[in-house]
Amino acid sequence: MGTHVVTGSASGMGAASAAVLAEAGHTVIGVDLRDAEVVADLGTVEGRRGAVEEILAISGGTLDGVAAVAGVGPNMADAAAVVSINYFGPVALLEGLRPALARSGSGRAVVIGSNSSTTVPMIDDGLVDLALAGDEETARERARAAQSALPPKVAEHAPSICAYATSKFALARWVRRTAVTPEWARRGLVLNAVAPGAVLTPLMLGSTGQEPDPEAFATPLPLGVFGRPEDIAFWVHQFLKPEARFTTGAVLYVDGGTDAAMRPDAQPTAMTP
Ligand code: NAI
């Protein structure tokens, strides 16, 4: 049995992923702001550094899997925090834990993106570039500037929508670029992303806790249902198995068909000559 790290383990998809892994007999090191083996704020540089140090101490320096699930949604008041938590958090954690994953001989990593990265038409290319360049300070400034330029109606309901969709877009791109580098691919490490759609978690249900009507939802749900945290945990578990050795750099939509319904012809994209 292996040792796996799950961030965001105190709630929603992270809690469901930790439960599935524990049920399968693995040791799970949960990381969260509260109620976790490692309590850390992954939105800050010091929090990420401390988390990596503690995880290495608890695990003895060898890990079989990391599931970077922790994140926030588009209703967060500060767009800069969204970029730090949703993009720089998972990237720093995975970079910090990569040597420990390599030591296992079959290290696996999976990050949680979002289908908002391809279904929300508000991707800020400049912010994507800053994130991929690792420039957190300027990325945070740019996210705040984009937030202040939002139309009032959008800002009222989803003040961080641009930062949210863009941070998840950048994260998916980071996964695709990073997974094929020798540091990952030639060390037997696989790195993939799951892009959930609307999943019934505290993040999605917000302050009301009320499940909306799937037929009246803002984006299409061809399967006619919302996702449950277990639907995401299932794929997290699959991607962390040693047998999952020939898939890397993938972004798997687990969204009830939303992305396919909104952009049926976006994939496959033919290679340009
Ligand atoms: P949730 O709110 O139920 O769980 C998120 C967990 O992350 C919480 O336990 C929270 O304390 C932790 N977290 C937040 N900020 C943190 C920080 N700075 N440091 C450490 N831990 C932190 O939310 P849910 O829905 O389970 O979200 C999981 C992931 O799925 C997130 O990355 C979210 O962006 C993403 N997502 C969620 C969707 C949904 O419909 N629920 C849709 C698409 C993506």
Side-chain angles (χ1 to χ4, degrees):
M1 288 298 119
T3 301
H4 298 273
V5 172
V6 178
T7 73
S9 57
S11 178
M13 303 175 200
S17 300
V20 167
L21 291 165
E23 203 162 304
H26 299 293
T27 300
V28 178
I29 304 172
V31 185
D32 208 303
L33 293 168
R34 59 187 162 83
D35 302 330
E37 283 72 26
V38 174
V39 173
D41 182 353
L42 299 173
T44 68
V45 173
E46 313 77 62
R48 294 166 203 148
R49 197 180 297 135
V52 168
E53 277 171 17
E54 262 195 76
I55 291 165
L56 294 177
I58 294 172
S59 64
T62 301
L63 291 169
D64 300 288
V66 177
V69 185
V72 288
N75 56 353
M76 187 101 174
D78 180 11
V82 173
V83 171
S84 286
I85 297 166
N86 284 4
Y87 179 83
F88 288 97
V91 167
L93 197 83
L94 286 168
E95 282 175 347
L97 297 178
R98 186 179 50 76
L101 283 169
R103 256 171 241 127
S104 98
S106 58
R108 307 281 176 258
V110 60
V111 306
I112 301 298
S114 171
N115 74 351
S116 294
S117 60
T118 50
T119 60
V120 172
M122 297 184 80
I123 301 305
D124 176 349
D125 291 334
L127 181 51
V128 173
D129 290 344
L130 287 168
L132 289 165
D135 186 348
E136 184 168 4
E137 207 178 305
T138 318
R140 286 173 59 91
E141 283 165 18
R142 190 172 173 112
R144 283 213 179 106
Q147 180 176 12
S148 61
L150 281 178
K153 260 203 162 151
V154 179
E156 192 186 327
H157 296 292
S160 293
I161 184 65
C162 175
Y164 177 74
T166 302
S167 63
K168 295 295 193 179
F169 185 97
L171 189 58
R173 186 156 285 173
W174 179 82
V175 164
R176 286 184 59 79
R177 286 186 181 182
T178 306
V180 295
T181 58
E183 292 77 21
W184 285 81
R186 290 305 170 106
R187 304 295 299 274
L189 303 175
V190 306
L191 167 63
N192 293 291
V194 169
V199 178
L200 298 170
T201 66
L203 183 153
M204 188 202 151
L205 296 171
S207 51
T208 65
Q210 297 282 321
E211 182 175 335
D213 175 4
E215 302 302 340
F217 198 62
T219 49
L221 282 166
L223 290 177
V225 291
F226 291 110
R228 295 164 298 141
E230 295 74 22
D231 296 321
I232 307 304
F234 172 80
W235 289 107
V236 166
H237 188 197
Q238 302 311 307
F239 276 131
L240 293 184
K241 287 183 176 170
E243 295 85 351
R245 52 170 223 122
F246 200 51
T247 301
T248 202
V251 180
L252 178 72
Y253 287 86
V254 184
D255 71 347
T258 300
D259 185 72
M262 291 179 73
R263 311 182 316 127
D265 301 337
Q267 290 180 30
T269 309
M271 190 172 176
T272 44

